[in-house]
Amino acid sequence: MDPQDHERFRDYVESRWSTLLRLANLLTGGDRHEAEDLVQTALMKALSRWRHIEDPEGYVRKVMYRQQISRWRLRRPHREPTFATPPADFGVADGTSAADLRITVGHALARLTPRQRTMLVLRYFEDLSETEVAAALGCSVGTVRSTTHRSLARLRRLAPELNTSELDTPKLDTPERAAAVVPSSNLPKGAHT
């Protein structure tokens, strides 16, 4: 790798590390160490082909998606983590509702299977269409639809306190809904006004 490519790669990593780590955190269900490993693996694969990559962001994200798929295909079933139930006064409007919602969604996502979590993250947080998710994961559109449907149903069972109308929406299309779940620096496409 020549010095110019090396510098370009380093600039990319410095500018995109936190965003990629947030995505990896969602994909891994909140496991910080697995998220860091996922980002580092994707960046190592990108580094080996850096000179030939036209869209670094798209390439790295696709590697992350596929790497996560490989992890949940190879991983044996494991015990789901348990979390305390939220307090009865969960809906109190004291300025912390957005943080409470993020925590609740994060805990619920962590309790989904890796496959279910990946589908929901790609569809709703990454704002990919069913066709784009199918292409990224190497499966059919029907598989994306059925897995997404089952994942949403399980998410509703795991976190009934969430507003289910927001879970039915194909994307987080308003800044308020997106900001409630995703930090503003990582809003999905189309969520900015």
mmCIF file of all heavy atoms in Angstrom, residues 80-102:
data_model
loop_
_atom_site.group_PDB
_atom_site.id
_atom_site.type_symbol
_atom_site.label_atom_id
_atom_site.label_comp_id
_atom_site.label_asym_id
_atom_site.label_seq_id
_atom_site.Cartn_x
_atom_site.Cartn_y
_atom_site.Cartn_z
ATOM 1 N N GLU A 80 -30.002 -16.623 26.766
ATOM 2 C CA GLU A 80 -30.320 -15.212 26.582
ATOM 3 C C GLU A 80 -30.032 -14.453 27.867
ATOM 4 O O GLU A 80 -30.291 -14.951 28.960
ATOM 5 C CB GLU A 80 -31.805 -15.030 26.246
ATOM 6 C CG GLU A 80 -32.174 -15.477 24.869
ATOM 7 C CD GLU A 80 -33.626 -15.148 24.549
ATOM 8 O OE1 GLU A 80 -34.296 -14.490 25.367
ATOM 9 O OE2 GLU A 80 -34.078 -15.560 23.484
ATOM 10 N N PRO A 81 -29.520 -13.234 27.735
ATOM 11 C CA PRO A 81 -29.315 -12.435 28.943
ATOM 12 C C PRO A 81 -30.664 -12.016 29.529
ATOM 13 O O PRO A 81 -31.641 -11.868 28.797
ATOM 14 C CB PRO A 81 -28.543 -11.216 28.440
ATOM 15 C CG PRO A 81 -28.855 -11.140 26.989
ATOM 16 C CD PRO A 81 -29.127 -12.546 26.538
ATOM 17 N N THR A 82 -30.701 -11.869 30.819
ATOM 18 C CA THR A 82 -31.938 -11.418 31.450
ATOM 19 C C THR A 82 -31.745 -9.995 31.938
ATOM 20 O O THR A 82 -30.659 -9.587 32.336
ATOM 21 C CB THR A 82 -32.316 -12.322 32.639
ATOM 22 O OG1 THR A 82 -31.227 -12.335 33.555
ATOM 23 C CG2 THR A 82 -32.612 -13.738 32.179
ATOM 24 N N PHE A 83 -32.823 -9.243 31.889
ATOM 25 C CA PHE A 83 -32.781 -7.852 32.305
ATOM 26 C C PHE A 83 -33.934 -7.593 33.256
ATOM 27 O O PHE A 83 -34.989 -8.221 33.169
ATOM 28 C CB PHE A 83 -32.914 -6.915 31.098
ATOM 29 C CG PHE A 83 -31.796 -7.062 30.113
ATOM 30 C CD1 PHE A 83 -31.956 -7.838 28.987
ATOM 31 C CD2 PHE A 83 -30.582 -6.449 30.329
ATOM 32 C CE1 PHE A 83 -30.931 -7.995 28.084
ATOM 33 C CE2 PHE A 83 -29.541 -6.592 29.436
ATOM 34 C CZ PHE A 83 -29.712 -7.368 28.305
ATOM 35 N N ALA A 84 -33.733 -6.661 34.150
ATOM 36 C CA ALA A 84 -34.789 -6.281 35.075
ATOM 37 C C ALA A 84 -35.927 -5.636 34.301
ATOM 38 O O ALA A 84 -35.735 -5.022 33.259
ATOM 39 C CB ALA A 84 -34.244 -5.292 36.108
ATOM 40 N N THR A 85 -37.134 -5.802 34.809
ATOM 41 C CA THR A 85 -38.274 -5.168 34.161
ATOM 42 C C THR A 85 -38.275 -3.682 34.496
ATOM 43 O O THR A 85 -37.838 -3.271 35.576
ATOM 44 C CB THR A 85 -39.600 -5.803 34.625
ATOM 45 O OG1 THR A 85 -39.665 -5.711 36.048
ATOM 46 C CG2 THR A 85 -39.687 -7.251 34.200
ATOM 47 N N PRO A 86 -38.746 -2.861 33.556
ATOM 48 C CA PRO A 86 -38.771 -1.419 33.819
ATOM 49 C C PRO A 86 -39.757 -1.086 34.934
ATOM 50 O O PRO A 86 -40.712 -1.817 35.172
ATOM 51 C CB PRO A 86 -39.212 -0.823 32.491
ATOM 52 C CG PRO A 86 -39.802 -1.930 31.714
ATOM 53 C CD PRO A 86 -39.249 -3.200 32.245
ATOM 54 N N PRO A 87 -39.548 0.032 35.616
ATOM 55 C CA PRO A 87 -40.452 0.428 36.696
ATOM 56 C C PRO A 87 -41.851 0.727 36.162
ATOM 57 O O PRO A 87 -42.029 1.009 34.981
ATOM 58 C CB PRO A 87 -39.805 1.684 37.278
ATOM 59 C CG PRO A 87 -38.880 2.177 36.228
ATOM 60 C CD PRO A 87 -38.478 0.986 35.421
ATOM 61 N N ALA A 88 -42.838 0.681 37.054
ATOM 62 C CA ALA A 88 -44.225 0.900 36.660
ATOM 63 C C ALA A 88 -44.455 2.306 36.120
ATOM 64 O O ALA A 88 -45.297 2.518 35.252
ATOM 65 C CB ALA A 88 -45.151 0.641 37.852
ATOM 66 N N ASP A 89 -43.717 3.301 36.601
ATOM 67 C CA ASP A 89 -43.896 4.683 36.145
ATOM 68 C C ASP A 89 -42.969 5.009 34.979
ATOM 69 O O ASP A 89 -42.457 6.106 34.863
ATOM 70 C CB ASP A 89 -43.687 5.669 37.298
ATOM 71 C CG ASP A 89 -42.277 5.581 37.868
ATOM 72 O OD1 ASP A 89 -41.576 4.587 37.577
ATOM 73 O OD2 ASP A 89 -41.900 6.501 38.603
ATOM 74 N N PHE A 90 -42.779 4.056 34.095
ATOM 75 C CA PHE A 90 -41.853 4.181 32.964
ATOM 76 C C PHE A 90 -42.181 5.358 32.069
ATOM 77 O O PHE A 90 -41.308 5.998 31.528
ATOM 78 C CB PHE A 90 -41.878 2.870 32.170
ATOM 79 C CG PHE A 90 -40.939 2.866 31.006
ATOM 80 C CD1 PHE A 90 -39.587 2.695 31.202
ATOM 81 C CD2 PHE A 90 -41.411 3.041 29.728
ATOM 82 C CE1 PHE A 90 -38.717 2.693 30.135
ATOM 83 C CE2 PHE A 90 -40.549 3.030 28.650
ATOM 84 C CZ PHE A 90 -39.215 2.858 28.854
ATOM 85 N N GLY A 91 -43.449 5.678 31.877
ATOM 86 C CA GLY A 91 -43.851 6.701 30.925
ATOM 87 C C GLY A 91 -43.865 8.120 31.457
ATOM 88 O O GLY A 91 -44.376 9.021 30.815
ATOM 89 N N VAL A 92 -43.320 8.383 32.620
ATOM 90 C CA VAL A 92 -43.331 9.721 33.203
ATOM 91 C C VAL A 92 -42.529 10.670 32.306
ATOM 92 O O VAL A 92 -41.406 10.377 31.919
ATOM 93 C CB VAL A 92 -42.732 9.699 34.625
ATOM 94 C CG1 VAL A 92 -42.637 11.095 35.188
ATOM 95 C CG2 VAL A 92 -43.546 8.805 35.524
ATOM 96 N N ALA A 93 -43.127 11.807 31.976
ATOM 97 C CA ALA A 93 -42.480 12.780 31.082
ATOM 98 C C ALA A 93 -41.585 13.713 31.894
ATOM 99 O O ALA A 93 -41.945 14.826 32.206
ATOM 100 C CB ALA A 93 -43.529 13.570 30.318
ATOM 101 N N ASP A 94 -40.417 13.235 32.257
ATOM 102 C CA ASP A 94 -39.502 14.040 33.057
ATOM 103 C C ASP A 94 -38.234 14.392 32.288
ATOM 104 O O ASP A 94 -37.218 14.729 32.874
ATOM 105 C CB ASP A 94 -39.150 13.317 34.353
ATOM 106 C CG ASP A 94 -38.479 11.983 34.097
ATOM 107 O OD1 ASP A 94 -38.339 11.606 32.918
ATOM 108 O OD2 ASP A 94 -38.095 11.327 35.083
ATOM 109 N N GLY A 95 -38.263 14.292 30.967
ATOM 110 C CA GLY A 95 -37.105 14.635 30.160
ATOM 111 C C GLY A 95 -36.184 13.460 29.896
ATOM 112 O O GLY A 95 -35.208 13.590 29.183
ATOM 113 N N THR A 96 -36.470 12.313 30.493
ATOM 114 C CA THR A 96 -35.609 11.152 30.291
ATOM 115 C C THR A 96 -36.260 10.103 29.395
ATOM 116 O O THR A 96 -35.720 9.018 29.233
ATOM 117 C CB THR A 96 -35.256 10.499 31.632
ATOM 118 O OG1 THR A 96 -36.469 10.062 32.253
ATOM 119 C CG2 THR A 96 -34.502 11.443 32.532
ATOM 120 N N SER A 97 -37.407 10.420 28.814
ATOM 121 C CA SER A 97 -38.121 9.408 28.031
ATOM 122 C C SER A 97 -37.317 8.935 26.822
ATOM 123 O O SER A 97 -37.371 7.761 26.470
ATOM 124 C CB SER A 97 -39.492 9.922 27.602
ATOM 125 O OG SER A 97 -39.346 11.070 26.794
ATOM 126 N N ALA A 98 -36.576 9.816 26.165
ATOM 127 C CA ALA A 98 -35.770 9.397 25.011
ATOM 128 C C ALA A 98 -34.674 8.429 25.464
ATOM 129 O O ALA A 98 -34.418 7.422 24.804
ATOM 130 C CB ALA A 98 -35.152 10.601 24.306
ATOM 131 N N ALA A 99 -34.049 8.726 26.591
ATOM 132 C CA ALA A 99 -33.011 7.827 27.110
ATOM 133 C C ALA A 99 -33.629 6.497 27.535
ATOM 134 O O ALA A 99 -33.062 5.435 27.265
ATOM 135 C CB ALA A 99 -32.295 8.467 28.287
ATOM 136 N N ASP A 100 -34.790 6.553 28.190
ATOM 137 C CA ASP A 100 -35.479 5.327 28.582
ATOM 138 C C ASP A 100 -35.826 4.487 27.363
ATOM 139 O O ASP A 100 -35.675 3.266 27.379
ATOM 140 C CB ASP A 100 -36.755 5.640 29.360
ATOM 141 C CG ASP A 100 -36.474 6.197 30.746
ATOM 142 O OD1 ASP A 100 -35.348 5.987 31.248
ATOM 143 O OD2 ASP A 100 -37.373 6.837 31.321
ATOM 144 N N LEU A 101 -36.296 5.140 26.302
ATOM 145 C CA LEU A 101 -36.644 4.423 25.084
ATOM 146 C C LEU A 101 -35.416 3.764 24.473
ATOM 147 O O LEU A 101 -35.452 2.606 24.060
ATOM 148 C CB LEU A 101 -37.304 5.363 24.072
ATOM 149 C CG LEU A 101 -37.724 4.732 22.743
ATOM 150 C CD1 LEU A 101 -38.714 3.598 22.969
ATOM 151 C CD2 LEU A 101 -38.320 5.798 21.835
ATOM 152 N N ARG A 102 -34.294 4.480 24.419
ATOM 153 C CA ARG A 102 -33.051 3.905 23.886
ATOM 154 C C ARG A 102 -32.629 2.681 24.692
ATOM 155 O O ARG A 102 -32.234 1.659 24.140
ATOM 156 C CB ARG A 102 -31.926 4.934 23.894
ATOM 157 C CG ARG A 102 -31.845 5.761 22.649
ATOM 158 C CD ARG A 102 -30.525 6.505 22.534
ATOM 159 N NE ARG A 102 -30.214 7.355 23.669
ATOM 160 C CZ ARG A 102 -30.642 8.605 23.806
ATOM 161 N NH1 ARG A 102 -31.388 9.157 22.891
ATOM 162 N NH2 ARG A 102 -30.316 9.308 24.871
#
